Amino acid sequence: MNAPFDRPLGAAPHLQPGVHVGRPLPRPNAKRLVAGRGNYVTDMKLPRMLHAAFVRSPFAHARILRIDVEAARVAPGVALVATGEDLAKLCTPWVGTLDHFKGMKSEPQLPLPLDRVTWSGQAVVAVVAESRAAAEDACELVEIEFEDLPILADLDTALAPNAPRLVEGFADNLCFRSSLESGAVDDLFASAAHVVEADLAFGRHTGVTLEPRALIADYDASVHALTVHHGTQTPFQFQDLYSRHYGIPEGRVRVAAPDVGGSFGVKLHVYHEDMAVIGLSMLARRPVKYVADRLEAFVSDIHARDHRVKAKAAVDAGGRILAMAVEDETAIGPFSTYPRTSAVEGNQVIRLIGAPYRLEAYRADLKVVFQNKTQTSQYRAVGHPIACAVTEHLMEKAAAATGLDPFEVRARNLIPDDAYPCQSLTGYKFEQLSHEACLAKLKTLMDYDRLRAEQAELRARGIHRGIGIAAFVEITNPTPAFYGIGGARISAQDGAVIQITPSGEVRCLISVTEQGQGTEAIIGQIVADYLGVSRDIVRVITGDTEVTPHGGATWACRGAGIGGETALQAARKLKANVLNVAAAILQAQPDDLDLVDAEVVDRAGGTARLSLAEVARIAYFRSDTLPPGTDAQLTVAHHFAPSGYPFAFTNGIHGCHVEVDTETGLVKILKHFVVEDCGRIINPLLVEEQVRGGVVQGLGAAFFEECRYDDAGQLVNGSLVDYLVPMSCEMPDIVIAHMETPTRDTELGAKGCGEAGTAASSAAALNAVNDALAPLNAELTQIPMTPARILKALGAY
């Protein structure tokens, strides 16, 4: 860490030509080095591993005039100091664009910048030493001379016709622009009984994962091979990227990602520091470790949800929504992230708005805008919360304009459950959803009529409670139509290798990864169930490109739907092999046998004939006793990619019950309700806890979380002292109910559930707060809904 965080939060630097000395945050408990390279105060032996720290820019936009690293190079314990030029000799640049996003542009990126910095907190110089403390001490000795450049600190500045260009040679500050139109939009607005409008703003927030980003890169020059222990969601993606950008054969790059402490999309993307660490290991010829501390995470982890949306809906006299028109401006930072891009979130916003409802016409315009702030990209429920909040806010306004109850206006507009398959006006194809059934179940689950009666009674006593609901559609189980079509080497398939060990136990190696969501439990459950053995004897291995089969891993709620189907089909193939071997041993027909509780039994009567362990013993050690031609294969591999609908859409509806203190602006969340349909439910407990975790993240966005910047592009609340995350004492009981509409594209029938809680919780909360404030003629149109914003809406100041 360094200078941006040494001054009081919110104090912008004086942007004039001058010298910046990189000063990391002090670490009083760290072991320090004394004079003489590598001499510890203690008698500890030097570890083989080196540690990296970075000198970061205190400026949001500035030209690099001079870098002096000589003093840092001779500091105690320092093994290496590297600049952008040093790493550019090893690493080829990357550009965060996708081919199917026509006209998309972004500046090429390198691990460290060559001539200018584009956000406050950008890593500029890397120092590698025998300890993290030594590396940080040496960072203080690096001198960098900057010259200030114009700062694009907000959307209006970046979009102004005469705005300075963030990237020289670009015609504007737009990364991407997209428009959609279907149906007679203008005619329907002209003839509508009501036109309801909304201007909504969504604050930036970030993942705050339990485990920060971390990696250890170990380059072996003797064989030109690289091993990276990496806290990532997608080890095969990074195997490919490290191979291509550093010129190492893919087969000699190993990425190991064991149990990872939370990701939420944060650990999908290429980060400059991570790419730098690979090069640092190559230069130092030793393993190099880097762990982003919390302050670094706030200025380098992706941010998300920085949107400003203007929307309107045409409504007939009976409350039917005829058409919607939307303009979405989203700020993404100085470049598009690689390889998944920063345009995907905005693209999904405009394509998911109105998704649960029958519309006759739709128009949308998306502007993805560069600015001098931390990069934004894909975070849990990519685009869904914005699309849902816009849609459901308009639904509430339609209800008010027509005098309908919020449940009734939705009942009149939802796509009927018997209308599927169908296609949205934005081009999404829906196989089968259950909106009507979910709406009815939610009304019962909430005891809605009682809550309304209670609300009226309490309002008479000056107590302001509100009820909000929000329906959603969620993208899961993506096919190659998501990224492959755009040229990105991001797999939509998953692979599984399952084997019976010589002792009769089961070992499953699978490409989906464990981020704390229960992947290993789900895969183990599927394998045990379909193979006919106890879950206790199934070992699941994930997250290692050296041993697990290639696959897409964990993103877009694909673990159960794609990884689970892969495991199921592999288990079926292995079971057939086991029964073939058992039939040869027993001189029976395979169809007359079954595998139950690790025993081969007669299918008709269930009589145990042979243990699985005995089948394995004979196959491995006495295959000579088997009849000629018996194929004693107790290891199978299977790969699966969905090939039917482009996505397995899931759906549901949220309800939120709040109480607003109109004197303080504080909101007490009384209870939150969710009815979700993720297809076939494999493990109800894991589904419910995934939904609850998602709800908490959504309520965090609704009431607490926001990355705030000043006019100089400085993050002013970049620590857990100032950036608020929801605490358990602030969260309500979360009541969950289910519908099950399995996808027919897979035998398992599972869809995703990991983003269902996040997709609609903030929208339901927004509607609930506005419902509470309706008698006071106050309305919130910005999240998070802080006490200050609530009091401002009430006219308190």
Side-chain angles (χ1 to χ4, degrees):
M1 299 305 301
N2 43 61
F5 316 108
D6 292 334
R7 62 178 177 274
L9 290 172
H14 190 54
L15 288 180
Q16 291 185 359
V19 175
H20 159 61
V21 178
R23 294 198 306 275
L25 204 69
R27 297 175 184 275
N29 295 324
K31 293 186 181 297
R32 297 182 60 84
L33 299 167
V34 295
R37 183 183 298 268
N39 294 320
Y40 280 88
V41 173
T42 68
D43 293 329
M44 294 173 60
K45 293 182 179 180
L46 284 176
R48 181 171 180 269
M49 184 186 302
L50 297 171
H51 299 262
F54 293 91
V55 180
R56 296 179 180 275
S57 170
F59 306 112
H61 197 198
R63 184 171 289 110
I64 301 170
L65 300 180
R66 180 179 64 88
I67 300 176
D68 185 347
V69 300
E70 293 310 310
R73 281 195 171 123
V74 298
V78 171
L80 172 71
V81 180
T83 65
E85 290 184 358
D86 297 321
L87 293 173
K89 296 173 184 177
L90 300 175
C91 182
T92 59
W94 61 87
V95 180
T97 59
L98 290 171
D99 295 344
H100 63 305
F101 288 165
K102 301 303 181 185
M104 186 180 186
K105 57 184 183 288
S106 185
E107 187 176 14
Q109 298 293 304
L110 285 166
L112 297 176
L114 298 178
D115 54 3
R116 68 189 177 106
V117 293
T118 52
W119 83 93
S120 177
Q122 182 175 3
V124 182
V125 176
V127 178
V128 181
E130 302 292 347
S131 72
R132 175 70 177 246
E136 290 186 345
D137 285 347
C139 284
E140 297 185 28
L141 304 176
V142 175
E143 293 186 359
I144 308 174
E145 185 177 352
F146 292 100
E147 180 183 40
D148 66 300
L149 293 170
I151 295 171
L152 305 179
D154 56 59
L155 280 165
D156 289 330
T157 301
L159 289 169
N162 59 346
R165 300 295 180 251
L166 182 62
V167 181
E168 186 176 347
F170 282 6
D172 51 36
N173 291 314
L174 292 183
C175 168
F176 178 63
R177 184 166 188 175
S178 180
S179 297
L180 302 171
E181 184 160 352
S182 181
V185 178
D186 293 332
D187 291 345
L188 289 170
F189 272 100
S191 61
H194 308 277
V195 174
V196 295
E197 300 184 61
D199 290 349
L200 296 168
F202 301 87
R204 276 176 171 248
H205 51 278
T206 188
V208 196
T209 55
L210 182 65
E211 177 187 60
R213 289 189 293 113
L215 78 162
I216 300 171
D218 185 2
Y219 175 70
D220 186 343
S222 66
V223 290
H224 192 38
L226 174 70
T227 298
V228 186
H229 298 272
H230 197 174
T232 178
Q233 298 170 236
T234 51
F236 285 99
Q237 170 191 294
F238 282 97
Q239 179 191 40
D240 169 67
L241 294 174
Y242 296 150
S243 167
R244 286 192 290 118
H245 289 284
Y246 277 100
I248 305 171
E250 185 178 281
R252 296 187 184 183
V253 177
R254 176 188 180 189
V255 178
D259 293 351
V260 176
S263 297
F264 318 124
V266 169
K267 296 170 185 174
L268 281 174
H269 312 288
V270 167
Y271 292 94
H272 298 81
E273 301 93 337
D274 297 354
M275 290 294 275
V277 169
I278 307 303
L280 296 174
S281 180
M282 296 176 73
L283 290 171
R285 304 293 178 96
R286 287 170 66 178
V288 177
K289 177 181 179 179
Y290 171 68
V291 178
D293 66 24
R294 284 295 174 199
L295 299 183
E296 289 180 295
F298 274 108
V299 296
S300 61
D301 286 359
I302 61 149
H303 295 175
R305 322 282 203 229
D306 195 348
H307 292 254
R308 187 170 67 185
V309 183
K310 293 181 179 290
K312 61 181 181 178
V315 188
D316 72 12
R320 280 271 291 113
I321 307 295
L322 305 173
M324 287 185 180
V326 177
E327 297 176 14
D328 178 16
E329 297 169 342
T330 176
I332 63 165
F335 54 86
S336 171
T337 54
Y338 179 70
R340 294 165 187 266
T341 86
S342 300
V344 169
E345 179 170 273
N347 185 63
Q348 290 192 180
V349 168
I350 64 170
R351 291 182 180 277
L352 284 170
I353 286 175
Y357 302 107
R358 294 173 292 163
L359 302 177
E360 296 180 23
Y362 180 74
R363 175 188 294 146
D365 181 67
L366 169 67
K367 295 176 182 176
V368 180
V369 186
F370 294 125
Q371 60 178 182
N372 293 116
K373 295 180 181 177
T374 301
Q375 61 183 327
T376 74
S377 198
Q378 296 162 44
Y379 176 63
R380 191 176 193 174
V382 183
H384 295 67
I386 291 91
C388 186
V390 171
T391 303
E392 297 302 316
H393 189 72
L394 291 175
M395 294 302 299
E396 292 294 304
K397 285 184 171 290
T402 56
L404 293 173
D405 178 87
F407 270 88
E408 178 58 28
V409 76
R410 287 169 174 82
R412 296 187 184 190
N413 284 281
L414 286 170
I415 300 172
D417 292 353
D418 61 2
Y420 296 95
C422 65
Q423 181 169 311
S424 74
L425 293 179
T426 64
Y428 282 146
K429 296 179 179 179
F430 302 134
E431 178 192 11
Q432 182 67 53
L433 302 177
S434 58
H435 288 297
E436 289 182 323
C438 288
L439 182 72
K441 181 169 279 193
L442 179 69
K443 190 171 186 179
T444 301
L445 187 70
M446 295 178 70
D447 196 359
Y448 179 71
D449 293 337
R450 180 189 64 79
L451 290 183
R452 282 296 183 201
E454 178 186 74
Q455 179 188 49
E457 177 189 345
L458 292 173
R459 276 179 177 171
R461 293 159 43 194
I463 298 172
H464 299 277
R465 290 189 174 180
I467 303 164
I469 60 175
F472 70 91
V473 169
E474 177 194 351
I475 295 174
T476 76
N477 295 9
T479 67
F482 206 121
Y483 287 116
I485 192 174
R489 293 171 64 87
I490 298 171
S491 181
Q493 62 93 50
D494 273 305
V497 174
I498 308 181
Q499 61 183 200
I500 308 295
T501 70
S503 65
E505 295 183 334
V506 181
R507 175 182 166 104
C508 175
L509 298 93
I510 194 157
S511 56
V512 289
T513 55
E514 179 61 74
Q515 315 290 312
Q517 78 277 42
T519 291
E520 293 175 5
I522 287 288
I523 298 301
Q525 185 177 339
I526 292 169
V527 170
D529 187 50
Y530 282 86
L531 195 55
V533 300
S534 167
R535 173 67 182 87
D536 294 339
I537 68 168
V538 179
R539 182 186 176 203
V540 179
I541 299 170
T542 66
D544 189 338
T545 62
E546 191 76 3
V547 297
T548 58
H550 195 282
T554 299
W555 51 278
C557 296
R558 60 189 305 284
I562 299 179
E565 181 70 14
T566 307
L568 182 154
Q569 297 300 338
R572 284 201 177 280
K573 289 166 67 173
L574 181 56
K575 182 175 181 178
N577 287 1
V578 169
L579 294 181
N580 281 331
V581 174
I585 296 169
L586 298 171
Q587 298 183 0
Q589 294 298 315
D591 290 345
D592 294 334
L593 302 175
D594 200 359
L595 190 58
V596 178
D597 294 332
E599 296 279 345
V600 177
V601 303
D602 288 327
R603 187 179 295 275
T607 303
R609 301 286 303 278
L610 193 67
S611 70
L612 180 60
E614 181 64 7
V615 174
R617 184 193 69 82
I618 294 171
Y620 281 108
F621 307 119
R622 291 305 311 272
S623 57
D624 59 307
T625 64
L626 296 173
T630 303
D631 189 8
Q633 295 291 327
L634 298 188
T635 299
V636 302
H638 187 81
H639 288 260
F640 169 78
S643 58
Y645 283 81
F647 309 100
F649 286 97
T650 186
N651 70 277
I653 188 165
H654 287 224
C656 191
H657 188 210
V658 304
E659 182 176 313
V660 181
D661 186 328
T662 55
E663 293 185 358
T664 65
L666 292 170
V667 177
K668 182 177 182 180
I669 313 167
L670 302 172
K671 191 167 283 192
H672 198 91
F673 307 85
V674 181
V675 179
E676 66 81 35
D677 186 341
C678 64
R680 182 78 67 219
I681 296 175
I682 301 166
N683 187 313
L685 178 61
L686 285 177
V687 168
E688 294 198 358
E689 294 314 305
Q690 277 287 293
V691 172
R692 284 194 175 91
V695 167
V696 170
Q697 284 185 284
L699 294 178
F703 294 106
F704 304 104
E705 298 186 55
E706 184 175 20
C707 298
R708 294 183 290 109
Y709 284 80
D710 65 16
D711 292 340
Q714 298 294 317
L715 180 65
V716 299
N717 64 332
S719 77
L720 286 174
V721 174
D722 303 282
Y723 180 94
L724 303 181
V725 293
M727 307 293 284
S728 58
C729 60
E730 297 158 331
M731 290 296 98
D733 286 342
I734 300 169
V735 183
I736 299 170
H738 307 280
M739 300 296 298
E740 284 192 77
T741 308
T743 175
R744 291 184 289 274
D745 277 350
T746 64
E747 184 177 343
L748 190 61
K751 307 175 185 178
C753 72
E755 296 172 324
T758 311
S761 47
S762 56
L766 176 66
N767 287 343
V769 169
N770 282 332
D771 182 54
L773 299 181
L776 304 174
N777 296 317
E779 182 182 64
L780 272 291
T781 58
Q782 182 174 2
I783 65 171
M785 296 174 285
T786 62
R789 287 171 180 154
I790 290 173
L791 291 176
K792 185 176 181 179
L794 288 166
Y797 62 89

